[in-house]
Structure formats: structure tokens, C-alpha cells
Amino acid sequence: MKRLENKVALVTGGSRGIGAGIVKRLAAEGAKVAFTYAQSAQAAAEVLAVTEAAGSKAIAIVADNHSTDALPRAVEETVKTFGRIDILVNNAGMFSLNTIEDYSLQEYDDMMNVNVRAVFLASQAAARHMQAGSRIITIGSNMADRVSDSHGALYAMSKSALIGLNKGIARDLGPKGITVNLVQPGPIDTDMNPASAPHAEGLRSRMAIPKYGTPAQIAGLVAYLASEESGFMTGTALTMDGGYNI
Ligand code: NDP
């Protein structure tokens, strides 16, 4: 018996990077998985091919985090297709760099809408369907706790906001037997933060383990949080960053 047999998961931003790693891992643990993406249809099809080859049931849903109705719709589509939702992973996110003098109001709105409002909307829609034993897991960032460079104010703010949201939702849903946790990665090798980028050596030099992590490592922690074993853990923020913030 696999750990997540008979469970249904929805992962936002599952076409690439950390989200794709989470989709594959949850499917390998036996869950039926719906995932969203905004633009990368080809990448989404490749993730579906991998999960199907492994004998799992999966669907891909176009849902842009900028929209207010896309994620509630994705939750409804998940429930319609698979009959329930037990696990929500809020992973989709954006990153942009600027200084306080130069940020535009549009950048502020985009960052908050994609990285925070969408988490609120998806969690709200999912919570309305979830039963005892369900899980909400959100991907934040170690930049919520420490900003070690310039140009990251809005991203750090958006990820810090998730700490409060995570704790509050954990209080609301704890009495119903639903746990709510935040995973805060450090440098993970994805399109958003390639290990080969010019800035990467600077990041590695600040880490206790001086190398980038992988989507599969984050997915392993998410799979634990999604499983029954983590049932006494809620409202926490778990940092996995190779010791960047210590
Ligand atoms: P990538 O840019 O590699 O992948 C992002 C994923 O999210 C893609 O599947 C993309 O789909 C989707 N996505 C992006 N924007 C939207 C949107 N507006 N609506 C719906 N889906 C969207 O990012 P990572 O995998 O690196 O990041 C995943 C999460 O991890 C993010 O929340 C990020 O902030 C966080 N994180 C990443 C770190 C890193 O070092 N990589 C470190 C700390 C945190 P599509 O291509 O279709 O748009």
C-alpha cells in the first residue's frame, strides 16, 4: 500500500520546476493528482506523460494565479474529476527583482496576487471541500526570514505574508483535523533560479552545504507533510535551504 493511495491532490504550478517534482512524487506515492499551469502546455504534457507511464491518474488544468476565479475553478474541476480533494499544494509563484526606488505598482500587485492572493483563494476553495485528514501545504521561501541581497523586497514580503496566512489557516482548520504547513526552500535548481546562472556562485558561497537543492528534495518533504505521519504538525514553516539562513 502506497502512502497516498486513495488521496486526491491539487498542485498549483505543476508544469515545471519544484511543482513538477511534487506532482511526480505525489503520483508515485499513489495519489490522483490534478495540477495547474499558466503557459507551459508542452511541459505540462510531459509531466502528464511521466505520471501516466507510472500508472497514475493525473490531469492538467490551465489556471493563472493572476485571476481571482481560476483557482476556485481548478478546485471544482479537481473535485468533479476525482470526487474529492485531500491535499492542496500551493506552489505556483513568481519572482522579480528591483529596488525600492524603481518598483512599479504593477509589479507590487502582480507579486501579491500571484504569490499570496492565489494561495488564499485556492486554500479557501479547497477547505470548503476538505475532510478530516486533509492537508494544505504552501511553498514559501527562505527569503521570508532573511533577505541577503538587494532587489528582493517585494518577493520577500510576499513570502513573509505566507507565514501569517499559514498560521491563521492552521488555527481555523486544526479543529477539523486538517493540517496546514509551509515549506521554505532555499536555492533550488529550476528555471526560476538556475544553478548555472551568473549569481549562483554567490548563493552557494553563503550555504553550509554549498550546492543547489533539487525539486525532488522539496517534493520529499511535501510528500511527508501530505502523509498521515505528519498529522501532529501544523502551522509550521519548515526551511530546506542547505543551511543558507543559519
Ligand atoms: P519555476 O519558474 O521553475 O516554475 C514555476 C511554475 O509555476 C511553473 O509550473 C509555472 O507554470 C507556474 N506558474 C508561474 N506563474 C504562474 C501563474 N501566474 N499562474 C499559474 N502558474 C504559474 O519556479 P520554481 O519551481 O523554482 O518555483 C516554485 C515555487 O517555489 C515558487 O513559489 C517559488 O517562489 C518557490 N521557491 C523557489 C526557489 C528556487 O530557488 N527555485 C527558492 C524558494 C522558493 P507556467 O510555465 O505554465 O507558467
Side-chain angles (χ1 to χ4, degrees):
M1 176 92 173
K2 294 176 179 173
R3 271 201 301 189
L4 302 179
E5 204 94 59
N6 301 323
K7 301 286 185 189
V8 173
L10 171 62
V11 180
T12 67
S15 54
R16 295 184 290 113
I18 294 171
I22 293 169
V23 170
K24 290 174 198 167
R25 178 64 189 261
L26 297 185
E29 299 258 8
K32 298 184 185 83
V33 186
F35 68 88
T36 69
Y37 67 99
Q39 295 181 5
S40 304
Q42 180 60 35
E46 285 164 21
V47 172
L48 278 180
V50 171
T51 53
E52 278 162 19
S56 311
K57 292 203 174 87
I59 58 166
I61 302 168
V62 178
D64 192 323
N65 275 28
H66 285 98
S67 146
T68 50
D69 60 2
L71 287 165
R73 224 182 348 93
V75 169
E76 295 310 320
E77 194 168 335
T78 303
V79 173
K80 200 172 146 206
T81 306
F82 294 128
R84 53 192 290 148
I85 179 167
D86 306 286
I87 300 158
L88 169 68
V89 184
N90 293 300
N91 162 79
M94 61 170 286
F95 181 72
S96 80
L97 293 169
N98 222 330
T99 61
I100 186 64
E101 297 96 324
D102 293 330
Y103 275 122
S104 65
L105 191 55
Q106 189 63 53
E107 279 175 284
Y108 178 96
D109 285 343
D110 285 346
M111 193 79 81
M112 292 304 282
N113 290 346
V114 171
N115 287 5
V116 184
R117 189 180 66 183
V119 174
F120 164 76
L121 289 167
S123 301
Q124 181 178 60
R128 289 176 176 151
H129 288 281
M130 284 177 158
Q131 306 290 320
S134 295
R135 306 279 186 256
I136 296 177
I137 302 155
T138 298
I139 308 300
S141 167
N142 69 344
M143 278 183 67
D145 295 329
R146 179 169 179 240
V147 182
S148 60
D149 280 306
S150 67
H151 293 75
L154 286 188
Y155 181 76
M157 177 186 69
S158 73
K159 294 301 189 178
S160 296
L162 295 177
I163 296 176
L165 184 62
N166 183 64
K167 289 179 181 176
I169 302 174
R171 286 282 181 193
D172 287 342
L173 300 183
K176 296 180 177 169
I178 300 167
T179 69
V180 184
N181 290 291
L182 189 61
V183 172
Q184 300 192 146
I188 305 297
D189 186 14
T190 66
D191 296 337
M192 183 187 279
N193 186 9
S196 56
H199 68 263
E201 202 43 52
L203 298 183
R204 277 190 284 267
S205 71
R206 298 188 185 112
M207 299 165 77
I209 302 167
K211 61 180 186 188
Y212 272 53
T214 64
Q217 287 170 323
I218 299 298
L221 179 54
V222 169
Y224 166 72
L225 290 172
S227 76
E228 263 185 48
E229 286 171 280
S230 68
F232 194 49
M233 182 178 280
T234 199
T236 56
L238 299 170
T239 296
M240 185 187 280
D241 70 350
Y244 191 102
N245 276 2
I246 59 176

